[in-house]
Structures are given as structure tokens and as C-alpha cells.
Amino acid sequence: MALPSEYCFLKKSFMRLRILFLFLLILPIWSAGQTIPVGTPVLEDAYRRAQLLGELDSSVSFLARPFSPTISFKRENSFDPTFDLSVNRFTSFDGTFHFDHNLGLVQLLPVTVQLQHNTHHPYSMNDGPIIPARGYQQLISAGLFAQYGPLTIQLRPEWVKAQNKDFEGFSNENSDQKWYEYYEIYNFIDLPEKFGHAPYQKSLWGQSSIRLNYGPMSMGLSSENLWWGPGKYNSLSMSNSADGFFHFTLNTSKPIHTPIGSFEGQIIAGRLVNSGFTPPDTTRKYLGNLLYFPKRDEKRYINGMVLTYQPKWVPGLFIGLTRSFTSYRDSTRNFRETFPIFFPMNRKYEKEDNIGYNFADQRVSAFVRWLFVAAKGEVYFEYMREDHPHNFRDMMLQMEYSRSYLFGLSKIFTLNPLKKRYIEVNFEMTQLEQTNANPDMPYRYTYTSRATTQGYTNNGQLLGAAIGPGSNMQTLGVKWFSGLKVVGLQFDRYVHNNDFHNVAIKDIRANWVDLAATGSFEWNWRNLLFSLQLQGIQSFNYQHRYEPLENDPEEFWKKGRNVYNFQAQSAITYRF
């Protein structure tokens, strides 16, 4: 039950929201527009490249997405960043309908079909509702956008279908001790190895929202994917590795300019969904005890925020922070527990293992993005800590405990300024592997939680970095581009859960490492956008198993068995 002071605060807050709502209805000053969903093929990267080239407002941070180009960059059509759709479309119909003397607008949103195929085992990153699965998979999205005064409604549902074929998972031949360590991860996170044993399909609200907008501010309900932070390939705090979740949002739709600089941000309160799938071999025992224990099948609550600041005196520099809490819904009984992001929080327990019944689990990150328009480049960094400290002293002494970080840079080189042809080079490294900073605490895998044992997930996929607990990744990409046309080559080194390797495998020959090479192709033709990615992946010690080849004469560093996976991704979008 809320305390009297908190009740008064809530009452006053609701009164202020009502006044703001009436204020919005009677004033003719508003801004609204279609958003570019996180992960949109071709278009999302095109806008960020255009900013590096100095073609877009450099005060827009790209650190809290989705964003609306019609508001942030004053574009007439969010889906036409190169201004050529109006003269090259197949017909004169632009998908818009006006009503009430042009005061209202309805616009058809692009229709997108995405396809994915994995030949040997699941491989899935930053692809929203597409699940980690072997075989063929498809995602279809379409919808419409409506605006009347300050009110906007965006309906863009998604439908996903996957073959979900069987594949070789964590081996039953592993020892009981390895299975014990395996469940030290998967008892505290909802990351199923396989999404059931039948073809998978699901319909979702997708990138939909209903909002009230005024100037640079917007509030409403949304199921859109979010991306917080500067990373291009991974985000520590919020990404589109899972499908979007229902949330209330209060956010800026463009920078708020002040005498000391500009600000952007977002506050959310939402509901996370459990997958309903269990880890493999739930009957296995160790020392007579069942390793698997069921998770609480209850609704989960998330409260989060992102805030960025661009100092007036340092053009191109963005600094910011994120903070998010997850808890079971029955834990949010008063204002502090409903909006913990506004309060300092220390740990409520010392070393006891009170699994599933502590109040909440926290993640905090700080980040920097520095944009150099004259040099056509940027550098960025993000540092995150989970498992909030006992107090300030604990934070200073054990700052590396439960930490993760990423670092990246991009640089564009001009090939032909007249024909607008360029080369872009990207590099990014992400480190989720933990240090042994506090051996007296239960071993902490990134995104796992003993407070909410589904961890930092939604519908069985991660909300943070797609590489997953204990993993590291280095990515180098080179792209030739001209407008929306891109030809690229990318190399990845993906180390799977080194934390698990360090406590369970302990064999320096047995790290599970993927080396991947990806060729990418993006093209536009009239209303159509095409995207194709072909990726070859060589997995060393797949599923953490080192199997030496007997015909190798060396005694210790024998070659091990490698597994090969080929992934093809394609997308076609029709813009009105």
C-alpha cells in the first residue's frame, strides 16, 4: 500500500498529466511523424552515415532509438533519405490520405519481408522477433500511420514463422559437474536452447504505438523495439535482439536545446513476457539433487531510462547514461518500487541466495559518443555494471565487479565527391566476460538474475547485447556506399560464454569461438529496397566441446573438430 506522501505525489502527477493532455488538444503546435524502427534494413544505417558526412543535424545523438526523421531532421518522408522517391516511384500514389481539410493524415507504411536461413545451428543477432533457430525463417511487417492534431497512431504488426529444425545442442555426454555449471546460468535466465520441438510462428503488435506529441516531447503506449547507447553491432543496455515489449513511454522526439546544450531522453515502464520454454534435460541430477528448478511464471515489470547531453561548448560530443530495473509485477507496491530509476538503491541482502524473491535487479551504464563531422568519423564507448553495489565504498572498491563494456569507431573516406562515392570502415569490440573481482559473491553472468530468474530477457531473447552472457565479440567492417547502395565485407570473432568455460571447461584448447565472414549488399530501385547478407561461420569447439583429431601427430595442441554454419539473410521493402 502506498504511503500517504507517495499517494499525494501520484495524485498531483495524474492531475498534471490531465492538464497537459487538455493543453495539447487546444494548442495547434505539435510535431509527429513515422519512426524508423530499430533494425530497419537499409534506411537506419543510411541516416547515421549521412550524419557522419555532415548532411544531417549533428546535435541529434542517435543514442535513443527509434527516431523520427520527419521531426529530428525535418524530412517530408522518413523513408526517403535521399530525396529521390518522389520522382522514381512506380506510380504517382504516395500512400497518403488526407481528411478534415488536411488536418488529419493516414499514410501506408512500408511492407517488408525478411528471410533467414541457418544450415547447421542457430545464429541470430539484432533481428527482433526472429528466433535463434536452424532452418528457414521469415518475418513480415506492414501497417499504417495516422495523425490528427497531437495524436498519432502507428500500427505496424509483425508475423514470424520458423522451421525450427533440430540441431546438436549441449551434449548429454557432458559430465554432471558441467551440467551443474550449465544450470548455474540457465536457472537464472530465460534463454531456451530451442523454442519447442515444432515449427514456430507468432503474431505480434510489432512496431506499433499511440502517442500524444507536443514540440520535442512525446508520450504514449508502444510495443516498438528500443536501442539505447552508441553501439552499432551490440548495445549493453537495450537492443533489438528480442521482439518489442509493451511499455509506457515519455520521450523526446528531437533534441531539447538549452543555453548549456541539448538534451534527449526516454523513460519507460513496461511488461516483459516469459518464453514458456525450458532448458534441455530438466531431469538431470548432481549429487542427488535436481539441477533444474522452475521459474516463477509471473508477469515481469521493467522500468528504465536513458538520458543524453550534448554540451554547447563541445560540438559533436554526447554523454549519457541508462538505468533499468526488472522485477516481478507483485513487487511494485508503491511509487519507489514502481519507479526505482528515480531513487538511489543499495543491495537489500548480503551474501544469502534468496533466489526469486529479492525486490529488483538493476543495470546502469554510462556512454560517450564523439562525432567529428569535419573528419567524417566518430568514436564511442559504453560501460555497464549490473548487480547494484552495497554502497558508494563498495562501488569504488569493486567497480569491475559485474561490469561489461564496448568500444567502437567509424571513419568515412571520400572516393569521388562529385558522384558521392565513399568507403566506411567500422570497428567495434564488446566484452561481457567477467573478472573474478569478488569471489565471495555468487558467480554473476551478465544479464542473469537471482531476483527475477528470467533475467534480462523478453520472450526468450536478450534485451541487451545479442552475444549473451560471458561472451566477447570483435567486429571489423568495410563498406563501399553511394546513397542507399552499399557493398560491404565484415569479419567477426565471437567468443561464446568464456565465463562458463573458465568455471566448467578449464581447457585452454576448448574455447568456443566463431570466426565469421559476411558479404553484404544493399540496393534501391524506385520504391523498392533490397538487402542481402551471406555469412560463413566456422565454429571452433562448438558447444564448448574439444574433440581432437586423431591423425594429428602433435600431442597436446591437436587440431579439434570444427563445425560450419552458413547463414543467408535477405529483405525486400516496398515504400509508398
Side-chain angles (χ1 to χ4, degrees):
M1 183 175 179
L3 297 175
S5 60
E6 293 166 338
Y7 174 77
C8 294
F9 182 87
L10 281 173
K11 186 176 180 181
K12 291 179 181 178
S13 299
F14 283 123
M15 286 297 296
R16 290 169 183 164
L17 286 175
R18 292 174 189 168
I19 294 172
L20 176 61
F21 178 77
L22 293 174
F23 189 65
L24 289 170
L25 287 179
I26 62 176
L27 281 181
I29 305 172
W30 53 75
S31 60
Q34 318 92 328
T35 58
I36 297 292
V38 176
T40 298
V42 182
L43 297 179
E44 191 177 34
D45 287 344
Y47 275 108
R48 190 156 173 170
R49 290 196 305 266
Q51 189 185 50
L52 291 183
L53 291 172
E55 299 172 354
L56 298 178
D57 184 359
S58 62
S59 69
V60 177
S61 69
F62 280 95
L63 298 172
R65 307 198 305 266
F67 67 98
S68 174
T70 57
I71 302 174
S72 300
F73 304 120
K74 300 179 181 179
R75 297 296 177 99
E76 292 184 4
N77 187 340
S78 294
F79 309 105
D80 183 22
T82 53
F83 300 103
D84 59 358
L85 183 59
S86 59
V87 295
N88 289 326
R89 59 167 48 98
F90 289 113
T91 68
S92 60
F93 177 57
D94 62 358
T96 59
F97 304 89
H98 297 270
F99 62 93
D100 196 11
H101 305 288
N102 290 330
L103 295 177
L105 167 71
V106 176
Q107 181 173 2
L108 298 178
L109 298 177
V111 179
T112 299
V113 178
Q114 295 177 248
L115 306 176
Q116 184 185 102
H117 183 73
N118 285 300
T119 58
H120 183 268
H121 60 266
Y123 202 88
S124 174
M125 291 189 183
N126 304 327
D127 46 21
I130 290 178
I131 63 170
R134 174 175 171 256
Y136 171 80
Q137 194 163 179
Q138 61 182 333
L139 172 66
I140 301 175
S141 64
L144 57 85
F145 171 84
Q147 175 182 346
Y148 190 79
L151 176 67
T152 60
I153 299 174
Q154 181 170 290
L155 295 177
R156 194 170 189 177
E158 297 171 328
W159 178 72
V160 62
K161 183 178 181 180
Q163 279 184 302
N164 201 24
K165 292 182 175 180
D166 290 332
F167 60 93
E168 178 187 357
F170 193 70
S171 176
N172 286 326
E173 297 178 5
N174 285 313
S175 67
D176 289 343
Q177 187 271 336
K178 290 180 181 178
W179 275 95
Y180 169 80
E181 297 295 347
Y182 180 88
Y183 271 100
E184 279 294 291
I185 307 170
Y186 292 98
N187 275 333
F188 306 110
I189 196 167
D190 183 17
L191 280 182
E193 183 180 81
K194 192 171 187 295
F195 283 64
H197 299 283
Y200 176 95
Q201 66 176 7
K202 197 162 190 176
S203 298
L204 303 158
W205 282 101
Q207 312 306 311
S208 300
S209 66
I210 178 170
R211 298 173 177 270
L212 287 172
N213 308 275
Y214 179 71
M217 297 301 299
S218 176
M219 68 175 182
L221 297 175
S222 173
S223 61
E224 296 171 288
N225 278 109
L226 306 174
W227 187 288
W228 293 349
K232 289 189 173 183
Y233 304 105
N234 282 293
S235 173
L236 300 182
S237 54
M238 191 70 72
S239 75
N240 66 323
S241 296
D243 48 274
F245 55 89
F246 279 107
H247 59 275
F248 167 81
T249 177
L250 176 63
N251 60 274
T252 57
S253 52
K254 62 181 179 180
I256 298 176
H257 297 284
T258 73
I260 62 172
S262 59
F263 294 85
E264 295 177 74
Q266 183 174 30
I267 297 171
I268 64 164
R271 179 174 62 87
L272 302 176
V273 177
N274 305 330
S275 72
F277 300 109
T278 60
D281 201 358
T282 56
T283 61
R284 185 175 285 266
K285 294 183 178 181
Y286 180 60
L287 299 178
N289 297 315
L290 195 66
L291 292 180
Y292 169 73
F293 58 83
K295 296 174 172 60
R296 293 173 61 182
D297 188 18
E298 300 178 19
K299 294 180 180 178
R300 287 176 295 138
Y301 173 73
I302 181 171
N303 178 220
M305 65 169 290
V306 57
L307 177 65
T308 71
Y309 169 53
Q310 201 277 303
K312 176 182 178 181
W313 306 276
V314 191
L317 176 64
F318 301 91
I319 57 178
L321 61 89
T322 72
R323 194 182 188 195
S324 64
F325 286 82
T326 54
S327 63
Y328 289 112
R329 194 67 183 92
D330 61 1
S331 299
T332 54
R333 295 180 294 270
N334 55 43
F335 185 80
R336 179 176 183 134
E337 294 177 351
T338 303
F339 297 102
I341 59 171
F342 298 123
F343 295 89
M345 175 161 285
N346 296 328
R347 198 195 311 271
K348 282 194 170 185
Y349 57 98
E350 291 289 335
K351 300 178 183 178
E352 67 269 23
D353 195 14
N354 194 13
I355 296 171
Y357 290 93
N358 296 309
F359 160 56
D361 196 45
Q362 176 186 221
R363 288 143 302 276
V364 176
S365 79
F367 54 79
V368 174
R369 180 187 181 222
W370 204 333
L371 174 66
F372 303 95
V373 176
K376 300 182 179 63
E378 64 174 320
V379 295
Y380 54 86
F381 177 78
E382 183 176 13
Y383 184 96
M384 183 183 76
R385 170 166 175 151
E386 296 189 292
D387 201 17
H388 40 276
H390 296 276
N391 50 37
F392 180 77
R393 180 183 178 88
D394 176 31
M395 182 177 70
M396 290 295 99
L397 296 179
Q398 300 284 340
M399 184 171 286
E400 65 274 23
Y401 178 66
S402 73
R403 66 91 183 96
S404 303
Y405 63 87
L406 67 79
F407 166 80
L409 56 87
S410 295
K411 176 75 171 82
I412 293 178
F413 301 90
T414 303
L415 294 180
N416 189 323
L418 296 179
K419 295 184 178 181
K420 295 185 176 181
R421 294 175 180 174
Y422 307 93
I423 291 286
E424 181 184 25
V425 179
N426 300 313
F427 173 77
E428 183 173 298
M429 62 176 294
T430 304
Q431 189 86 2
L432 302 187
E433 181 182 352
Q434 297 299 300
T435 65
N436 193 25
N438 193 339
D440 290 334
M441 288 294 294
Y443 200 86
R444 179 61 187 255
Y445 293 88
T446 314
Y447 304 129
T448 63
S449 172
R450 292 175 180 260
T452 53
T453 52
Q454 284 83 5
Y456 195 49
T457 64
N458 182 55
N459 200 22
Q461 298 196 71
L462 287 162
L463 292 174
I467 58 178
S471 301
N472 309 317
M473 190 173 197
Q474 301 87 41
T475 297
L476 175 65
V478 180
K479 296 179 180 178
W480 172 93
F481 72 92
S482 178
L484 298 181
K485 297 175 174 61
V486 178
V487 178
L489 189 61
Q490 179 177 310
F491 301 95
D492 300 315
R493 179 179 178 268
Y494 176 14
V495 184
H496 290 257
N497 205 342
N498 250 4
D499 289 336
F500 174 75
H501 174 272
N502 294 335
V503 299
I505 308 300
K506 300 179 181 179
D507 185 339
I508 61 175
R509 303 167 297 176
N511 301 78
W512 179 7
V513 178
D514 291 344
L515 297 182
T518 307
S520 60
F521 175 87
E522 297 176 359
W523 214 258
N524 66 305
W525 179 60
R526 295 195 174 186
N527 296 60
L528 297 173
L529 299 175
F530 303 94
S531 174
L532 176 65
Q533 290 187 350
L534 302 177
Q535 185 174 52
I537 305 159
Q538 178 174 268
S539 296
F540 296 87
N541 306 314
Y542 175 69
Q543 292 290 348
H544 304 279
R545 294 185 66 189
Y546 172 57
E547 300 178 22
L549 302 179
E550 295 181 357
N551 59 354
D552 194 318
E554 296 185 21
E555 295 183 359
F556 183 78
W557 283 105
K558 287 186 176 181
K559 294 181 180 179
R561 180 175 68 98
N562 297 332
V563 168
Y564 298 92
N565 183 50
F566 178 77
Q567 184 188 78
Q569 293 179 299
S570 63
I572 182 170
T573 299
Y574 183 88
R575 302 173 292 166
F576 291 94

